[in-house]
Amino acid sequence: MKKLALPARNNEGFLENANDWTPEIATLIASDDSIELDEKHWEIIEFLRLFYKEHEMSPPSNRLFVKSVKEALGDERGNSIYLMQLFPGTPAKTACRIAGLPRPTNCL
């Protein structure tokens, strides 16, 4: 079985072309961060991709990311501890990278 090749990415691991994204690519990008995607991850990834489609941008900061998730998916999922457990480090940045979206503008 041939291994799927990752499309071109920048030095932070974000796709150069968001149209190259597929769920299989997301799984490969997540594995770079030792993240095994499950339904909780996919719920957030799908939320982010919809957010991007509607606003033509990634959530610009972790704070707005958490707030947006809370508004869309409720208090249980829209809190920084939950999101940090799914996407360690800077959740907005990690989740956007896996979702094939541009880097959030205000994330370190």
Side-chain angles (χ1 to χ4, degrees):
M1 184 175 199
K2 186 179 170 193
K3 187 176 188 234
L4 185 63
L6 276 169
R9 298 191 295 166
N10 69 15
N11 64 340
E12 292 184 284
F14 289 86
L15 293 178
E16 293 285 347
N17 181 350
N19 294 324
D20 289 339
W21 186 89
T22 65
E24 294 79 16
I25 296 295
T27 300
L28 288 174
I29 294 171
S31 70
D32 287 350
D33 292 322
S34 301
I35 297 171
E36 191 171 325
L37 299 177
D38 63 22
E39 66 278 350
K40 292 175 183 174
H41 294 95
W42 286 111
E43 181 178 44
I44 302 300
I45 290 167
E46 288 166 14
F47 163 77
L48 279 171
R49 293 190 57 80
L50 187 61
F51 183 99
Y52 185 79
K53 189 175 181 181
E54 289 177 7
H55 302 283
E56 297 183 356
M57 62 183 261
S58 299
S61 66
N62 254 339
R63 181 184 287 170
L64 186 60
F65 174 52
V66 172
K67 182 180 177 200
S68 299
V69 171
K70 181 183 253 182
E71 288 172 4
L73 304 174
D75 291 346
E76 184 182 312
R77 293 175 189 87
N79 73 73
S80 47
I81 293 170
Y82 176 83
L83 294 169
M84 206 170 288
Q85 288 171 338
L86 292 176
F87 303 100
T90 308
K93 186 175 171 183
T94 303
C96 285
R97 184 174 56 246
I98 293 169
L101 303 177
R103 181 185 192 280
T105 52
N106 293 329
C107 283
L108 301 174

